[in-house]
Amino acid sequence: MEISTRTAALTEWTERLAEPAPAPGGGAAAAVVAAIGAAVAAMADGYGDDHPDTRRFVAARERAWEVADGDARASADLAVVFHAAPEDRDADRTRRILEHAAVSSAAVADVVVELASALEPLAERCPEPVRADVAVAARLLAAGARAGAVNVRVNATASADAGSSAEFVADLRAKEQDAIAAADALDRLAAEVTDTL
């Protein structure tokens, strides 16, 4: 039975996540962490006199929820493929499902990469008591990016092994590196902000 990040209570969703079932899985969890990071950033931006990025953070949160549900569906499709006997797997269908899972994983990373540049200006303009929340948002977004990068890597490797084009795999590898670079920048920002507290 499918569960939605949008409609399920957090306790219900995490109970389902803890079950030994493919959906939701680690990719959906990465997206939820990114959504929470974006929500914390929106909250911090809302405290200031000038909050130009609140809509951007809220939109990223909404996108992350969509990505979490999409990743859960991709994980469920992968499970069907991998539970089939190897001789019963259709190679083309397997490749398409792996590519769909890879694109889903990359979408998790994309949410964070898109927001990373907005956190430093937020740290500079938000009221002093809220600066800790910017560091928290940065750490959460970095965790979402790093977790998403893991799934991008595994799905890029599996897609390559299944016969995906070199261009498709190279694009995934670039997205993995972008996610790691964004996470590094976010972790540096969080450390810098934390040092001022």
Side-chain angles (χ1 to χ4, degrees):
M1 182 172 136
E2 190 173 306
I3 187 167
S4 171
T5 57
R6 288 188 176 281
T7 58
L10 188 56
T11 52
E12 178 188 7
W13 193 86
T14 55
E15 285 170 4
R16 180 70 64 85
L17 178 63
E19 292 176 5
V32 168
V33 169
I36 293 170
V40 173
M43 179 264 298
D45 197 35
Y47 275 108
D49 294 332
D50 179 27
H51 34 87
D53 291 317
T54 300
R55 286 186 183 177
R56 182 178 177 187
F57 296 133
V58 169
R61 183 198 69 208
E62 292 300 312
R63 175 74 181 121
W65 291 132
E66 292 169 11
V67 168
D69 285 341
D71 190 86
R73 286 188 295 276
S75 293
D77 290 345
L78 278 174
V80 170
V81 167
F82 289 117
H83 282 102
E87 63 272 10
D88 294 335
R89 291 182 194 156
D90 175 87
D92 188 54
R93 180 174 182 263
T94 298
R95 180 189 49 76
R96 284 193 318 270
I97 288 172
L98 283 165
E99 288 177 352
H100 179 252
V103 168
S104 177
S105 295
V108 174
D110 288 345
V111 167
V112 177
V113 168
E114 197 175 292
L115 283 186
S117 64
L119 268 283
E120 187 171 346
L122 175 59
E124 292 170 2
R125 74 174 173 269
C126 75
E128 188 67 32
V130 185
R131 288 177 53 84
D133 292 315
V134 176
V136 169
R139 293 290 189 193
L140 289 164
L141 289 165
R146 289 187 196 289
V150 170
N151 284 341
V152 171
R153 174 176 286 212
V154 72
N155 288 324
T157 300
S159 293
D161 291 347
S164 294
S165 72
E167 181 181 349
F168 179 80
V169 174
D171 184 54
L172 289 172
R173 299 283 188 213
K175 287 181 181 293
E176 175 193 2
Q177 292 308 308
D178 290 346
I180 292 168
D184 288 345
L186 289 162
D187 280 335
R188 277 192 303 276
L189 175 64
E192 290 167 9
V193 169
T194 301
D195 285 345
T196 69
L197 301 175

